[in-house]
Amino acid sequence: MSDEKRFNILHLYPEHMNLYGDRGNVLALTQRARWRHIPSEVMVREIGEPIDWEAVDMVFMGGGEDTHQARIAEDFLKIGPELASRLRDGLPMLAICGAYQLLGQYYKTAEGRELPGVGFLDVWTEPGTTRAIGDVVTQTSLPIVPESLVGFENHGGRTFLGEGARPLGQVALGQGNNGQDGTEGALQDRVIGTYLHGSLLPKNPHLADLLLKWSLERRGVTDSLEPLEEEEEMAAHQTIVARSRNS
Ligand code: GLN
């Protein structure tokens, strides 16, 4: 890969997997790149379409209802081995909710149908008896300041982590992975799986910049990112963090 400064994001299945404004994550990333004069391109990829993997700097996939997950699951399994090998090689990916579940070993739907996952993340998801819905605040171990991540969850599945996956964070507000062990999301290599919709990145610009940094590093670009004004974004972030203190 050349060290040319640019940012190409592969957006998987935007037609089927785009709940609660998940597409806003792609907009946040590309806009933050453009504000820094880094050319960026969104490579949209739907079922059955080819992928120019060599051009990809980061992968994004959003959440979806059970029926939408079932629709893309077979195709996702087909690209799974190539995707997993690139992720193991350090390609960054952000997978939200339904995508997070399918990047794991399996997702059992509310109706009890087991959808096999790509198996990159060492996580599995069982159906819950209720849906976990509401604001979420987590404290993450990622190298970002502040350490909080905020978002909105709405899922029926309960995700459990195996030994290969670290939690993305500890829940300060909300249910997170399963409402039992206090964890939210998973982290493996440079892959982030999380239940946080919102969209996530507009309210967590520090996480957006970490993903941009990781992506640029793959092109050999290691200079630090020019700081951007983010008063409004952080005000939205802090409003939700305050809810965890008042709860
Ligand atoms: N269908 C999945 C669940 O309910 C994922 C939902 C989502 O992506 N928000 O657990």
Side-chain angles (χ1 to χ4, degrees):
M1 198 145 293
S2 81
D3 61 358
E4 178 199 8
K5 230 188 214 184
R6 57 170 305 117
F7 175 67
N8 294 339
I9 179 162
L10 173 66
H11 189 174
L12 290 175
Y13 316 113
E15 201 182 299
H16 302 281
M17 303 291 284
N18 178 37
L19 275 183
Y20 319 117
D22 284 341
R23 195 188 296 264
N25 293 307
V26 174
L27 294 177
L29 285 163
T30 51
Q31 187 57 49
R32 292 183 78 77
R34 284 188 199 121
W35 276 329
R36 295 176 167 113
H37 311 287
I38 301 167
S40 83
E41 195 185 316
V42 182
M43 303 163 69
V44 167
R45 195 266 181 193
E46 297 292 351
I47 293 172
E49 292 177 348
I51 299 173
D52 177 6
W53 284 108
E54 287 305 310
V56 178
D57 300 312
M58 184 192 148
V59 185
F60 174 76
M61 185 167 152
E65 290 164 19
D66 288 6
T67 46
H68 291 135
Q69 287 173 280
R71 243 173 256 163
I72 61 99
E74 197 184 314
D75 184 83
F76 194 37
L77 278 185
K78 279 190 199 146
I79 63 167
E82 180 74 51
L83 172 66
S85 123
R86 299 212 175 237
L87 298 180
R88 273 193 296 273
D89 188 41
L91 182 65
M93 177 165 180
L94 176 62
I96 310 285
C97 199
Y100 166 39
Q101 295 168 342
L102 290 179
L103 205 52
Q105 295 164 15
Y106 64 84
Y107 168 52
K108 209 180 260 180
T109 69
E111 288 173 348
R113 177 170 171 203
E114 187 168 312
L115 299 176
V118 157
F120 172 78
L121 289 175
D122 187 14
V123 307
W124 60 93
T125 306
E126 299 284 343
T129 47
T130 54
R131 291 192 74 76
I133 304 175
D135 288 321
V136 182
V137 176
T138 66
Q139 295 299 320
T140 173
S141 54
L142 286 171
I144 52 175
V145 181
E147 286 168 6
S148 47
L149 291 174
V150 303
F152 179 83
E153 65 183 338
N154 186 349
H155 52 105
R158 301 292 188 269
T159 299
F160 298 90
L161 272 55
E163 282 179 4
R166 283 192 287 144
L168 174 63
Q170 299 297 319
V171 175
L173 176 71
Q175 303 282 313
N177 280 327
N178 50 54
Q180 295 169 27
D181 63 12
T183 65
E184 201 296 308
L187 184 63
Q188 239 175 280
D189 299 318
R190 289 184 161 186
V191 177
I192 292 174
T194 175
Y195 273 113
L196 302 188
H197 296 277
S199 337
L200 174 67
L201 297 182
K203 287 183 210 152
N204 297 279
H206 52 330
L207 179 61
D209 281 356
L210 179 69
L211 287 163
L212 265 180
K213 178 177 169 287
W214 282 349
S215 305
L216 290 167
E217 278 174 9
R218 285 190 47 89
R219 288 184 176 269
V221 179
T222 52
D223 9 320
S224 42
L225 288 172
E226 199 185 307
L228 296 174
E229 231 176 80
E230 50 198 38
E231 245 170 71
E232 287 182 16
E233 290 91 333
M234 287 323 279
H237 181 103
Q238 292 304 345
T239 302
I240 302 168
V241 170
R243 280 183 208 159
S244 68
R245 296 202 188 103
N246 301 332
S247 67

